[in-house]
Structures are given as C-alpha cells and as structure tokens.
Amino acid sequence: MRSARPFSLLAALFAAIPTLLAFPGCTKPTEAPAASRLTIVQGHLQMAPAGVVLPTAIVLRVLATDGTPMPKIPISFSVLAGGGSVDPATAISDANGEVKARWTLGPASQVQTMVGSAPGVEPVTLSALGVLPNDMIVAQGNNQTAKVGAALTVPLVIRVIGGNNVPIPGQTVAMTIASGGGSLSPQSAVTNALGEVTVRWTLGPQLGLQTATATSGSVGPITITAVGN
C-alpha cells in the first residue's frame, strides 16, 4: 500500500506559503504610483486689465498613474509671454495634489501666457487676455457753471477704459488747463481700481467758456468744459 506521507508533507507546505510570504524579504514589492499628468483646475483663459492680478487664482493638480492626486510634488510656474509675474514661482502640492498661485499680468500686452511644470510630466500652458486702455470718458463733472475764480461744486471724475468698457487701473492721467485760466488739483493722478481719478477744478477769471484737457499715455486728449459767470 502506497504511503500517504508525501501528500501530507505537500499539503503542509502549501498551507505554510502565506505565512512564509509574510516574513520580511518574502513579500512581493508593491510599486508606488508615479506622477503621470498635470491638469488645470482653474484660472485658464481669464481677462483682466493689463498690469493687474487676475481675479481667479491659478490652481493646478498633479495626478498619479492610477489617477489619484499626488501630494508633495514641486510645481513651478514661469511666464512665457506678456511680462508680469506669478506668486509663488514654485509650490509643493497639497493633500489634493494641488498648488495655487496668483498671476499678475504684464502692463503692455494683450496676449499673455504662462506654463506650469512638474518633474517627469508634460507641462501645461495657461493663457490670459490683458485689456489695454483705448479711451477716456468724463464720468462726472462736465459742463458745470460757477462763479469765475471759484471751484466747481462737483469734482471732475475721469475714467480710463479698455475694450468692452473695462475700467483700467494704474494709469497716469495728466490734467491741463486749455483756456480760461484757473487751476486743477491734482494735475496728475493714477487711476484707482475703478479706472478713475478725481480732480478739483477752480475756474479762472475769464467769463464764459473755459476748458481743460485730460490725457493718459497715448489715450486722449479729451476736453472738459465749464462756464464762468
């Protein structure tokens, strides 16, 4: 009669395999996911006045080969065209695999681009449109009447605008008396967040029509009028 002992030994050996694999050095190594892709979460294709910070922050996300977000990956930003700057220039991805940065557009270009990059993956390119100044309007204070030598009751408000009437901040507006004498204060000012400067006009001694002009770089001049009586 054939002995059953060899079969018993084989059964015991197979039963012991899971235990043997549990010992250090016997476990099959698991490969950690690697960075595979960089994606744009938000901030692409914005429009804002040239020279200002875009209203929406740039957010990029780095993904692993299995599609999960990857933390602790350095992501760098650099401006390709248009000037401007990105803050921070480099950041480490958080638990969601994301980094956030603020993009300040260059002051003199419509087409502006930047690139985000991470080690071992294809970089991504983001674009923005910088709105440039192309017109000025008198938002307040035109065509007033006052005593000669007196200040106009309502201050002048000059607004610098770009395409689609977008107000342009950070623009220097120069004011000049064109006729009638008098004075303007200030004679030069920088537009605020609304694209505006505010100026007080004191009329000169001339009765009748008096004029002042406003210029901003290559935009203008425009004429503002008042009547002295």
PDB file of all heavy atoms in Angstrom, residues 40-67:
ATOM      1  N   ILE A  40      -5.108  71.452 -15.312  1.00  0.00           N
ATOM      2  CA  ILE A  40      -5.548  72.788 -14.907  1.00  0.00           C
ATOM      3  C   ILE A  40      -6.905  72.662 -14.218  1.00  0.00           C
ATOM      4  O   ILE A  40      -7.870  72.195 -14.824  1.00  0.00           O
ATOM      5  CB  ILE A  40      -5.652  73.727 -16.113  1.00  0.00           C
ATOM      6  CG1 ILE A  40      -4.300  73.846 -16.826  1.00  0.00           C
ATOM      7  CG2 ILE A  40      -6.144  75.112 -15.687  1.00  0.00           C
ATOM      8  CD1 ILE A  40      -4.375  74.567 -18.162  1.00  0.00           C
ATOM      9  N   VAL A  41      -6.969  73.066 -12.964  1.00  0.00           N
ATOM     10  CA  VAL A  41      -8.227  73.037 -12.214  1.00  0.00           C
ATOM     11  C   VAL A  41      -9.011  74.323 -12.445  1.00  0.00           C
ATOM     12  O   VAL A  41     -10.221  74.303 -12.666  1.00  0.00           O
ATOM     13  CB  VAL A  41      -7.964  72.827 -10.707  1.00  0.00           C
ATOM     14  CG1 VAL A  41      -9.263  72.848  -9.912  1.00  0.00           C
ATOM     15  CG2 VAL A  41      -7.223  71.512 -10.477  1.00  0.00           C
ATOM     16  N   GLN A  42      -8.333  75.470 -12.389  1.00  0.00           N
ATOM     17  CA  GLN A  42      -8.996  76.754 -12.619  1.00  0.00           C
ATOM     18  C   GLN A  42      -7.964  77.810 -12.999  1.00  0.00           C
ATOM     19  O   GLN A  42      -6.770  77.633 -12.803  1.00  0.00           O
ATOM     20  CB  GLN A  42      -9.762  77.210 -11.370  1.00  0.00           C
ATOM     21  CG  GLN A  42      -8.881  77.585 -10.188  1.00  0.00           C
ATOM     22  CD  GLN A  42      -9.652  78.132  -9.007  1.00  0.00           C
ATOM     23  OE1 GLN A  42     -10.758  77.687  -8.718  1.00  0.00           O
ATOM     24  NE2 GLN A  42      -9.092  79.093  -8.305  1.00  0.00           N
ATOM     25  N   GLY A  43      -8.473  78.918 -13.571  1.00  0.00           N
ATOM     26  CA  GLY A  43      -7.628  80.075 -13.837  1.00  0.00           C
ATOM     27  C   GLY A  43      -7.211  80.271 -15.280  1.00  0.00           C
ATOM     28  O   GLY A  43      -6.576  81.287 -15.597  1.00  0.00           O
ATOM     29  N   HIS A  44      -7.586  79.322 -16.174  1.00  0.00           N
ATOM     30  CA  HIS A  44      -7.206  79.434 -17.583  1.00  0.00           C
ATOM     31  C   HIS A  44      -8.176  80.364 -18.315  1.00  0.00           C
ATOM     32  O   HIS A  44      -9.357  80.447 -17.979  1.00  0.00           O
ATOM     33  CB  HIS A  44      -7.229  78.035 -18.199  1.00  0.00           C
ATOM     34  CG  HIS A  44      -6.739  77.943 -19.601  1.00  0.00           C
ATOM     35  ND1 HIS A  44      -5.675  78.674 -20.091  1.00  0.00           N
ATOM     36  CD2 HIS A  44      -7.169  77.187 -20.653  1.00  0.00           C
ATOM     37  CE1 HIS A  44      -5.465  78.368 -21.357  1.00  0.00           C
ATOM     38  NE2 HIS A  44      -6.367  77.478 -21.728  1.00  0.00           N
ATOM     39  N   LEU A  45      -7.661  81.101 -19.326  1.00  0.00           N
ATOM     40  CA  LEU A  45      -8.465  81.937 -20.228  1.00  0.00           C
ATOM     41  C   LEU A  45      -9.242  83.028 -19.491  1.00  0.00           C
ATOM     42  O   LEU A  45     -10.409  83.279 -19.774  1.00  0.00           O
ATOM     43  CB  LEU A  45      -9.436  81.065 -21.034  1.00  0.00           C
ATOM     44  CG  LEU A  45      -8.782  80.022 -21.957  1.00  0.00           C
ATOM     45  CD1 LEU A  45      -9.845  79.188 -22.644  1.00  0.00           C
ATOM     46  CD2 LEU A  45      -7.874  80.688 -22.982  1.00  0.00           C
ATOM     47  N   GLN A  46      -8.575  83.711 -18.581  1.00  0.00           N
ATOM     48  CA  GLN A  46      -9.184  84.864 -17.916  1.00  0.00           C
ATOM     49  C   GLN A  46      -8.907  86.143 -18.712  1.00  0.00           C
ATOM     50  O   GLN A  46      -8.009  86.194 -19.546  1.00  0.00           O
ATOM     51  CB  GLN A  46      -8.643  85.024 -16.500  1.00  0.00           C
ATOM     52  CG  GLN A  46      -9.010  83.888 -15.566  1.00  0.00           C
ATOM     53  CD  GLN A  46      -8.531  84.159 -14.160  1.00  0.00           C
ATOM     54  OE1 GLN A  46      -9.069  85.015 -13.441  1.00  0.00           O
ATOM     55  NE2 GLN A  46      -7.522  83.418 -13.734  1.00  0.00           N
ATOM     56  N   MET A  47      -9.687  87.181 -18.402  1.00  0.00           N
ATOM     57  CA  MET A  47      -9.485  88.503 -18.990  1.00  0.00           C
ATOM     58  C   MET A  47      -9.486  89.529 -17.870  1.00  0.00           C
ATOM     59  O   MET A  47     -10.351  89.490 -16.978  1.00  0.00           O
ATOM     60  CB  MET A  47     -10.593  88.827 -19.986  1.00  0.00           C
ATOM     61  CG  MET A  47     -10.431  90.190 -20.653  1.00  0.00           C
ATOM     62  SD  MET A  47     -11.730  90.532 -21.875  1.00  0.00           S
ATOM     63  CE  MET A  47     -13.148  90.806 -20.800  1.00  0.00           C
ATOM     64  N   ALA A  48      -8.513  90.421 -17.902  1.00  0.00           N
ATOM     65  CA  ALA A  48      -8.412  91.471 -16.886  1.00  0.00           C
ATOM     66  C   ALA A  48      -7.572  92.606 -17.457  1.00  0.00           C
ATOM     67  O   ALA A  48      -6.847  92.419 -18.441  1.00  0.00           O
ATOM     68  CB  ALA A  48      -7.773  90.930 -15.608  1.00  0.00           C
ATOM     69  N   PRO A  49      -7.667  93.803 -16.864  1.00  0.00           N
ATOM     70  CA  PRO A  49      -6.804  94.888 -17.315  1.00  0.00           C
ATOM     71  C   PRO A  49      -5.337  94.501 -17.224  1.00  0.00           C
ATOM     72  O   PRO A  49      -4.914  93.859 -16.254  1.00  0.00           O
ATOM     73  CB  PRO A  49      -7.136  96.028 -16.334  1.00  0.00           C
ATOM     74  CG  PRO A  49      -8.521  95.730 -15.873  1.00  0.00           C
ATOM     75  CD  PRO A  49      -8.603  94.240 -15.804  1.00  0.00           C
ATOM     76  N   ALA A  50      -4.584  94.836 -18.250  1.00  0.00           N
ATOM     77  CA  ALA A  50      -3.146  94.561 -18.229  1.00  0.00           C
ATOM     78  C   ALA A  50      -2.512  95.226 -17.016  1.00  0.00           C
ATOM     79  O   ALA A  50      -2.856  96.345 -16.655  1.00  0.00           O
ATOM     80  CB  ALA A  50      -2.499  95.066 -19.514  1.00  0.00           C
ATOM     81  N   GLY A  51      -1.610  94.489 -16.370  1.00  0.00           N
ATOM     82  CA  GLY A  51      -0.899  95.034 -15.221  1.00  0.00           C
ATOM     83  C   GLY A  51      -1.508  94.710 -13.876  1.00  0.00           C
ATOM     84  O   GLY A  51      -0.917  95.058 -12.849  1.00  0.00           O
ATOM     85  N   VAL A  52      -2.653  94.031 -13.835  1.00  0.00           N
ATOM     86  CA  VAL A  52      -3.284  93.724 -12.550  1.00  0.00           C
ATOM     87  C   VAL A  52      -3.248  92.220 -12.286  1.00  0.00           C
ATOM     88  O   VAL A  52      -2.993  91.413 -13.174  1.00  0.00           O
ATOM     89  CB  VAL A  52      -4.742  94.233 -12.491  1.00  0.00           C
ATOM     90  CG1 VAL A  52      -4.813  95.707 -12.874  1.00  0.00           C
ATOM     91  CG2 VAL A  52      -5.653  93.400 -13.375  1.00  0.00           C
ATOM     92  N   VAL A  53      -3.533  91.853 -11.028  1.00  0.00           N
ATOM     93  CA  VAL A  53      -3.628  90.441 -10.648  1.00  0.00           C
ATOM     94  C   VAL A  53      -4.941  89.869 -11.181  1.00  0.00           C
ATOM     95  O   VAL A  53      -6.002  90.477 -11.026  1.00  0.00           O
ATOM     96  CB  VAL A  53      -3.561  90.280  -9.123  1.00  0.00           C
ATOM     97  CG1 VAL A  53      -3.650  88.801  -8.734  1.00  0.00           C
ATOM     98  CG2 VAL A  53      -2.282  90.895  -8.569  1.00  0.00           C
ATOM     99  N   LEU A  54      -4.884  88.704 -11.811  1.00  0.00           N
ATOM    100  CA  LEU A  54      -6.109  88.070 -12.292  1.00  0.00           C
ATOM    101  C   LEU A  54      -7.047  87.782 -11.116  1.00  0.00           C
ATOM    102  O   LEU A  54      -6.597  87.396 -10.032  1.00  0.00           O
ATOM    103  CB  LEU A  54      -5.781  86.765 -13.013  1.00  0.00           C
ATOM    104  CG  LEU A  54      -5.096  86.908 -14.373  1.00  0.00           C
ATOM    105  CD1 LEU A  54      -4.731  85.542 -14.926  1.00  0.00           C
ATOM    106  CD2 LEU A  54      -5.968  87.660 -15.357  1.00  0.00           C
ATOM    107  N   PRO A  55      -8.348  87.945 -11.317  1.00  0.00           N
ATOM    108  CA  PRO A  55      -9.285  87.786 -10.199  1.00  0.00           C
ATOM    109  C   PRO A  55      -9.353  86.367  -9.648  1.00  0.00           C
ATOM    110  O   PRO A  55      -9.601  86.176  -8.459  1.00  0.00           O
ATOM    111  CB  PRO A  55     -10.632  88.201 -10.806  1.00  0.00           C
ATOM    112  CG  PRO A  55     -10.460  88.091 -12.287  1.00  0.00           C
ATOM    113  CD  PRO A  55      -9.024  88.378 -12.558  1.00  0.00           C
ATOM    114  N   THR A  56      -9.147  85.365 -10.492  1.00  0.00           N
ATOM    115  CA  THR A  56      -9.217  83.975 -10.052  1.00  0.00           C
ATOM    116  C   THR A  56      -7.812  83.386  -9.965  1.00  0.00           C
ATOM    117  O   THR A  56      -7.028  83.502 -10.903  1.00  0.00           O
ATOM    118  CB  THR A  56     -10.060  83.132 -11.028  1.00  0.00           C
ATOM    119  OG1 THR A  56     -11.376  83.675 -11.090  1.00  0.00           O
ATOM    120  CG2 THR A  56     -10.135  81.681 -10.575  1.00  0.00           C
ATOM    121  N   ALA A  57      -7.508  82.764  -8.830  1.00  0.00           N
ATOM    122  CA  ALA A  57      -6.186  82.159  -8.657  1.00  0.00           C
ATOM    123  C   ALA A  57      -5.992  80.992  -9.624  1.00  0.00           C
ATOM    124  O   ALA A  57      -6.946  80.316 -10.009  1.00  0.00           O
ATOM    125  CB  ALA A  57      -6.027  81.674  -7.221  1.00  0.00           C
ATOM    126  N   ILE A  58      -4.748  80.773 -10.010  1.00  0.00           N
ATOM    127  CA  ILE A  58      -4.390  79.617 -10.820  1.00  0.00           C
ATOM    128  C   ILE A  58      -4.277  78.400  -9.895  1.00  0.00           C
ATOM    129  O   ILE A  58      -3.599  78.462  -8.871  1.00  0.00           O
ATOM    130  CB  ILE A  58      -3.042  79.840 -11.533  1.00  0.00           C
ATOM    131  CG1 ILE A  58      -3.075  81.130 -12.365  1.00  0.00           C
ATOM    132  CG2 ILE A  58      -2.684  78.641 -12.383  1.00  0.00           C
ATOM    133  CD1 ILE A  58      -4.129  81.163 -13.422  1.00  0.00           C
ATOM    134  N   VAL A  59      -4.950  77.297 -10.247  1.00  0.00           N
ATOM    135  CA  VAL A  59      -4.849  76.054  -9.480  1.00  0.00           C
ATOM    136  C   VAL A  59      -4.514  74.918 -10.446  1.00  0.00           C
ATOM    137  O   VAL A  59      -5.230  74.698 -11.418  1.00  0.00           O
ATOM    138  CB  VAL A  59      -6.149  75.724  -8.718  1.00  0.00           C
ATOM    139  CG1 VAL A  59      -6.022  74.385  -8.004  1.00  0.00           C
ATOM    140  CG2 VAL A  59      -6.483  76.821  -7.709  1.00  0.00           C
ATOM    141  N   LEU A  60      -3.410  74.222 -10.157  1.00  0.00           N
ATOM    142  CA  LEU A  60      -3.010  73.045 -10.920  1.00  0.00           C
ATOM    143  C   LEU A  60      -3.036  71.825 -10.012  1.00  0.00           C
ATOM    144  O   LEU A  60      -2.817  71.932  -8.805  1.00  0.00           O
ATOM    145  CB  LEU A  60      -1.603  73.217 -11.504  1.00  0.00           C
ATOM    146  CG  LEU A  60      -1.357  74.414 -12.429  1.00  0.00           C
ATOM    147  CD1 LEU A  60       0.063  74.356 -12.984  1.00  0.00           C
ATOM    148  CD2 LEU A  60      -2.368  74.468 -13.553  1.00  0.00           C
ATOM    149  N   ARG A  61      -3.292  70.647 -10.617  1.00  0.00           N
ATOM    150  CA  ARG A  61      -3.327  69.394  -9.853  1.00  0.00           C
ATOM    151  C   ARG A  61      -2.449  68.358 -10.552  1.00  0.00           C
ATOM    152  O   ARG A  61      -2.536  68.187 -11.771  1.00  0.00           O
ATOM    153  CB  ARG A  61      -4.756  68.882  -9.733  1.00  0.00           C
ATOM    154  CG  ARG A  61      -4.879  67.568  -8.949  1.00  0.00           C
ATOM    155  CD  ARG A  61      -6.299  67.042  -8.975  1.00  0.00           C
ATOM    156  NE  ARG A  61      -7.211  67.964  -8.326  1.00  0.00           N
ATOM    157  CZ  ARG A  61      -8.436  68.261  -8.775  1.00  0.00           C
ATOM    158  NH1 ARG A  61      -8.875  67.715  -9.900  1.00  0.00           N
ATOM    159  NH2 ARG A  61      -9.203  69.096  -8.124  1.00  0.00           N
ATOM    160  N   VAL A  62      -1.626  67.657  -9.777  1.00  0.00           N
ATOM    161  CA  VAL A  62      -0.798  66.589 -10.323  1.00  0.00           C
ATOM    162  C   VAL A  62      -1.415  65.240  -9.953  1.00  0.00           C
ATOM    163  O   VAL A  62      -1.827  65.028  -8.809  1.00  0.00           O
ATOM    164  CB  VAL A  62       0.667  66.708  -9.838  1.00  0.00           C
ATOM    165  CG1 VAL A  62       0.778  66.591  -8.332  1.00  0.00           C
ATOM    166  CG2 VAL A  62       1.558  65.677 -10.526  1.00  0.00           C
ATOM    167  N   LEU A  63      -1.516  64.352 -10.952  1.00  0.00           N
ATOM    168  CA  LEU A  63      -2.157  63.053 -10.768  1.00  0.00           C
ATOM    169  C   LEU A  63      -1.145  61.931 -10.955  1.00  0.00           C
ATOM    170  O   LEU A  63      -0.209  62.033 -11.753  1.00  0.00           O
ATOM    171  CB  LEU A  63      -3.299  62.877 -11.777  1.00  0.00           C
ATOM    172  CG  LEU A  63      -4.432  63.909 -11.691  1.00  0.00           C
ATOM    173  CD1 LEU A  63      -5.419  63.695 -12.827  1.00  0.00           C
ATOM    174  CD2 LEU A  63      -5.140  63.837 -10.350  1.00  0.00           C
ATOM    175  N   ALA A  64      -1.379  60.820 -10.237  1.00  0.00           N
ATOM    176  CA  ALA A  64      -0.535  59.644 -10.354  1.00  0.00           C
ATOM    177  C   ALA A  64      -0.978  58.797 -11.539  1.00  0.00           C
ATOM    178  O   ALA A  64      -2.012  59.069 -12.172  1.00  0.00           O
ATOM    179  CB  ALA A  64      -0.593  58.832  -9.064  1.00  0.00           C
ATOM    180  N   THR A  65      -0.227  57.733 -11.813  1.00  0.00           N
ATOM    181  CA  THR A  65      -0.564  56.835 -12.915  1.00  0.00           C
ATOM    182  C   THR A  65      -1.909  56.165 -12.713  1.00  0.00           C
ATOM    183  O   THR A  65      -2.571  55.785 -13.688  1.00  0.00           O
ATOM    184  CB  THR A  65       0.528  55.766 -13.067  1.00  0.00           C
ATOM    185  OG1 THR A  65       0.784  55.176 -11.780  1.00  0.00           O
ATOM    186  CG2 THR A  65       1.818  56.367 -13.590  1.00  0.00           C
ATOM    187  N   ASP A  66      -2.334  56.011 -11.446  1.00  0.00           N
ATOM    188  CA  ASP A  66      -3.640  55.399 -11.182  1.00  0.00           C
ATOM    189  C   ASP A  66      -4.762  56.423 -11.079  1.00  0.00           C
ATOM    190  O   ASP A  66      -5.893  56.084 -10.729  1.00  0.00           O
ATOM    191  CB  ASP A  66      -3.585  54.553  -9.906  1.00  0.00           C
ATOM    192  CG  ASP A  66      -3.236  55.374  -8.662  1.00  0.00           C
ATOM    193  OD1 ASP A  66      -3.019  56.601  -8.805  1.00  0.00           O
ATOM    194  OD2 ASP A  66      -3.172  54.798  -7.569  1.00  0.00           O
ATOM    195  N   GLY A  67      -4.454  57.705 -11.386  1.00  0.00           N
ATOM    196  CA  GLY A  67      -5.477  58.741 -11.385  1.00  0.00           C
ATOM    197  C   GLY A  67      -5.706  59.429 -10.062  1.00  0.00           C
ATOM    198  O   GLY A  67      -6.538  60.336  -9.971  1.00  0.00           O
TER     199      GLY A  67
END
